[in-house]
Amino acid sequence: MLSAYNLYLGERGVVQDDRLVRAGDFGGRSSYSAAGSSLLQGEPMPTVIFAANNCMSIGAIASAADLGPKVPEDVSVVGFDDITLASCVRPELTTV
C-alpha cells in the first residue's frame, strides 16, 4: 500500500512527507494508537487519513472522536476493503 502511495505521489512530482505516514498491524487498535500518538495532534495535521483496511479506518475515526478533530469536517477517513461493519460506523466510512 505504501509503495503504491509513493508511486502515485512520485508520478505527480510530490515528495512524501514522512511526518504524515504511520505503520500499523491492520487492526483497529494499532490505527487508533498511530492516529492519536501524534498524527492528529501534530503539525501538519492531515486533511485525509487513508487506511489500509476498514478496521484501521474505524480505529482512526475513534481516535479522532477522542481527541477532538471532527470527521469529516477536519479530517476525512478513507478505508479499503468494504467490510460489512463499515456501513454501521458513524460518521459513515468512505471505503474502496
Side-chain angles (χ1 to χ4, degrees):
M1 183 91 34
L2 185 58
S3 60
Y5 170 72
N6 286 328
L7 178 65
Y8 180 85
L9 291 179
E11 288 173 349
R12 284 147 186 81
V14 177
V15 177
Q16 175 187 308
D17 186 342
D18 290 332
R19 297 173 298 173
L20 298 175
V21 176
R22 299 292 183 278
D25 65 4
F26 299 102
R29 285 192 177 115
S30 72
S31 64
Y32 180 95
S33 296
S37 65
S38 60
L39 191 60
L40 292 173
Q41 298 176 348
E43 287 294 326
M45 190 179 99
T47 57
V48 174
I49 293 175
F50 184 82
N53 65 34
N54 286 155
C55 288
M56 295 183 81
S57 297
I58 292 166
I61 289 171
S63 186
D66 288 348
L67 294 171
K70 303 275 187 252
V71 176
E73 294 86 351
D74 300 324
V75 61
S76 298
V77 178
V78 179
F80 188 86
D81 71 3
D82 198 19
I83 61 174
T84 304
L85 184 59
S87 64
C88 299
V89 175
R90 296 294 179 263
E92 290 185 26
L93 179 59
T94 299
T95 186
V96 177

